[in-house]
Amino acid sequence: MDEDLKLVQEVLKGNIDSFNILVNKYELTILRFVYNILKDREAAEDITQEVFITVYNKLYTFDKNYKFSNWIFQIARNKCIDYIRKYKRVYEANVEETRDIASSLISPEQSVEFKETKKLVENFLNTLNDVDKQIIILRYSNENITFRDMAEIMKMTESAVKRRYYKARDKFKEFRVNKEERCK
């Protein structure tokens, strides 16, 4: 039996410690996912908290035939959609809000290259429609996610997710080449 499923069953029996384990396991991943969609740190933190409140309150509806991680990502995605609909905008990332993952172990040149690449990716993501952006963010925010998982979360067929992912990836290659040519 899957570890998450055991924890869910324990929570349903009233074991709050098991819920805390689930929160600790998924909190950062969900926060990153939400932040990458909204580009607002405070809203991402609030929505992440709402996600876990919803998970706790609706845990009895979880279908054990599916992955718990897919279920929680689906809740997070829906919360983001609700937020965007409510406020009708997505905030731009504040450079001060984003954590600089460059540590003292990397050289200044590597740090500059990282920042340039990050900016390129952010600019590209801003050119995508919401569905394609969510597919790309899902793919790269969770290293263990499969196309089948993404299809379940996005409520699409696996082939549609693959097609949109590969099309977006090809668009990124063109986007990068065009940016490099403009810089010459």
Side-chain angles (χ1 to χ4, degrees):
M1 186 185 297
D2 169 275
E3 177 191 352
D4 288 346
L5 188 54
K6 287 179 186 174
L7 291 169
V8 166
Q9 289 174 340
E10 287 297 313
V11 174
L12 291 173
K13 291 178 188 173
N15 184 340
I16 299 300
D17 291 334
S18 293
F19 184 70
N20 288 334
I21 292 169
L22 286 171
V23 170
N24 290 334
K25 182 175 180 180
Y26 288 102
E27 185 175 34
L28 187 58
T29 306
I30 295 298
L31 180 64
R32 270 193 229 125
F33 174 70
V34 172
Y35 178 80
N36 282 324
I37 292 173
L38 301 178
K39 301 297 186 197
D40 181 326
R41 184 176 48 90
E42 287 180 28
E45 290 170 354
D46 291 345
I47 289 174
T48 299
Q49 189 172 14
E50 284 180 37
V51 167
F52 286 102
I53 290 169
T54 301
V55 166
Y56 186 78
N57 290 330
K58 301 286 185 181
L59 199 57
Y60 68 93
T61 67
F62 172 66
D63 184 346
K64 65 181 180 181
N65 294 319
Y66 298 99
K67 283 182 165 179
F68 178 78
S69 60
N70 292 356
W71 186 66
I72 196 168
F73 270 107
Q74 201 168 40
I75 292 170
R77 177 179 179 265
N78 290 340
K79 294 283 183 192
C80 289
I81 290 169
D82 291 346
Y83 178 86
I84 291 168
R85 283 181 183 150
K86 184 175 180 181
Y87 294 103
K88 296 196 189 288
R89 65 180 176 191
V90 177
Y91 295 136
E92 290 299 316
N94 181 343
V95 175
E96 300 304 317
E97 289 179 5
T98 58
R99 275 192 297 172
D100 184 5
I101 64 166
S103 70
S104 58
L105 299 175
I106 65 171
S107 70
E109 294 84 14
Q110 289 171 318
S111 179
V112 167
E113 185 178 334
F114 170 78
K115 288 176 184 175
E116 288 173 356
T117 302
K118 181 179 175 200
K119 187 70 176 162
L120 179 71
V121 171
E122 286 174 353
N123 289 339
F124 173 71
L125 285 174
N126 289 332
T127 69
L128 297 176
N129 66 45
D130 288 341
V131 174
D132 291 341
K133 184 187 283 188
Q134 290 171 16
I135 288 171
I136 296 298
I137 290 169
L138 268 173
R139 182 73 175 166
Y140 293 102
S141 66
N142 185 350
E143 61 195 42
N144 296 325
I145 200 162
T146 65
F147 283 113
R148 178 173 287 152
D149 294 338
M150 291 166 56
E152 189 177 310
I153 292 164
M154 299 295 294
K155 296 180 181 170
M156 299 169 69
T157 65
E158 186 176 348
S159 62
V161 170
K162 282 181 181 178
R163 185 175 59 252
R164 292 182 86 125
Y165 169 76
Y166 288 115
K167 197 172 192 178
R169 201 174 75 169
D170 290 342
K171 280 184 188 176
F172 177 71
K173 290 174 185 174
E174 287 177 36
F175 184 83
R176 188 180 64 209
V177 168
N178 290 338
K179 286 286 185 187
E180 289 172 357
E181 286 176 0
R182 280 188 231 143
C183 292
K184 289 181 181 178

